[in-house]
Amino acid sequence: MKISPIIVVLLAVILSVVSAGIMVVLNYDALFKPKPEIKAEFTSVEFDADDTSYSPAETHSMNQLSKELAALKEKLLDRENELDARESAIAMDLEALEKQKKEMNQIREDLAARLADFEARQGQDLSEEKLKEYKDTSKRWVEMGPEVASVEIQNWRQKRRFEEALSIFELLKAEDKAPIISFMLNSDDDALIELADALAMRDRGLLPSLDLDELSPN
């Protein structure tokens, strides 16, 4: 017996519709009834010890964790306040240090100025003291006579202090210089004769008033 293809297709469609209807009937509640609203079991981090959803050990652990978190939060707040206070103190210390730095710089500048003034005065005092010493020495040369003065000038030259001896010699008056130069030139000591020439050449104030040819022996 030969079955028409149209009949086969119709049978397949009918079977599909029947199967779909059966599935809808079996899952009607899941497909069409609204799902019940599930209320939250807890409204805070504090857990109810009487709640039978958790064991006493779990409830205790959760409560302990909640307390630790609260303590940690409090500790963090305290630490933040402490850091704020330290930051304020550091800012004040920096301001004080900056002020002290300016004061130290001012003190350093004042000390440098005073030190420079002191050194200048000290140098001036030493110059005055040295000048007094030179004047006393020149006076002594005049009082002790040309011979002693000539020997002393020669000793100063041998000690490499000729510039000092020349400075003292320049303080003498022309009439006091002439006897010393004359003694040196009339001496048999070539060193004294050479010293007289050196003094006469270096002491410009002596040259106009002193004729070496007149002082030297004929």
Side-chain angles (χ1 to χ4, degrees):
M1 180 177 177
K2 190 175 182 180
I3 301 174
S4 175
I6 296 175
I7 296 175
V8 174
V9 172
L10 289 175
L11 289 175
V13 171
I14 293 171
L15 290 174
S16 297
V17 172
V18 172
S19 298
I22 294 172
M23 292 297 296
V24 169
V25 172
L26 293 176
N27 296 282
Y28 180 81
D29 293 340
L31 292 174
F32 299 103
K33 286 187 177 181
K35 295 181 179 180
E37 182 179 355
I38 301 175
K39 296 183 179 180
E41 296 291 338
F42 304 102
T43 58
S44 66
V45 294
E46 292 291 338
F47 299 100
D48 188 1
D50 297 332
D51 192 342
T52 57
S53 298
Y54 297 94
S55 65
E58 290 175 335
T59 302
H60 175 74
S61 178
M62 291 180 181
N63 285 331
Q64 187 66 26
L65 179 60
S66 175
K67 293 178 181 179
E68 291 177 358
L69 290 175
L72 179 60
K73 180 180 179 181
E74 188 69 21
K75 186 175 181 180
L76 289 175
L77 289 175
D78 293 340
R79 182 62 175 171
E80 183 178 358
N81 293 333
E82 181 182 353
L83 290 176
D84 290 341
R86 291 183 61 183
E87 184 178 357
S88 300
I90 290 174
M92 294 178 62
D93 290 341
L94 288 176
E95 184 178 355
L97 286 175
E98 188 66 24
K99 183 178 180 180
Q100 291 179 2
K101 183 179 179 181
K102 292 181 180 179
E103 293 177 353
M104 289 296 296
N105 290 335
Q106 185 63 40
I107 293 174
R108 188 179 293 109
E109 292 176 0
D110 293 343
L111 287 176
R114 292 183 181 181
L115 180 60
D117 183 63
F118 173 76
E119 291 178 349
R121 290 184 179 181
Q122 187 179 32
Q124 184 178 2
D125 294 341
L126 289 176
S127 298
E128 293 177 356
E129 182 179 353
K130 183 65 69 174
L131 180 60
K132 182 178 182 302
E133 179 184 345
Y134 285 175
K135 287 182 178 180
D136 292 341
T137 302
S138 65
K139 182 179 180 181
R140 179 167 52 83
W141 285 356
V142 173
E143 293 175 350
M144 297 181 68
E147 182 177 358
V148 176
S150 299
V151 174
E152 191 164 337
I153 293 173
Q154 187 178 28
N155 290 336
W156 281 47
R157 188 183 189 187
Q158 292 174 352
K159 295 178 181 179
R160 301 183 182 278
R161 298 178 63 187
F162 180 66
E163 293 297 331
E164 294 183 60
L166 179 61
S167 298
I168 297 172
F169 188 77
E170 290 175 343
L171 295 175
L172 296 174
K173 297 179 180 179
E175 57 268 24
D176 295 327
K177 296 176 182 177
I180 297 175
I181 296 296
S182 178
F183 177 83
M184 291 180 179
L185 292 175
N186 291 320
S187 173
D188 295 334
D189 189 348
D190 293 338
L192 285 178
I193 296 174
E194 181 184 354
L195 180 58
D197 292 337
L199 288 173
M201 292 300 296
R202 292 290 301 276
D203 188 354
R204 300 301 179 183
L206 179 64
L207 294 179
S209 60
L210 181 61
D211 188 351
L212 295 181
D213 292 336
E214 294 179 359
L215 294 176
S216 61
N218 294 329

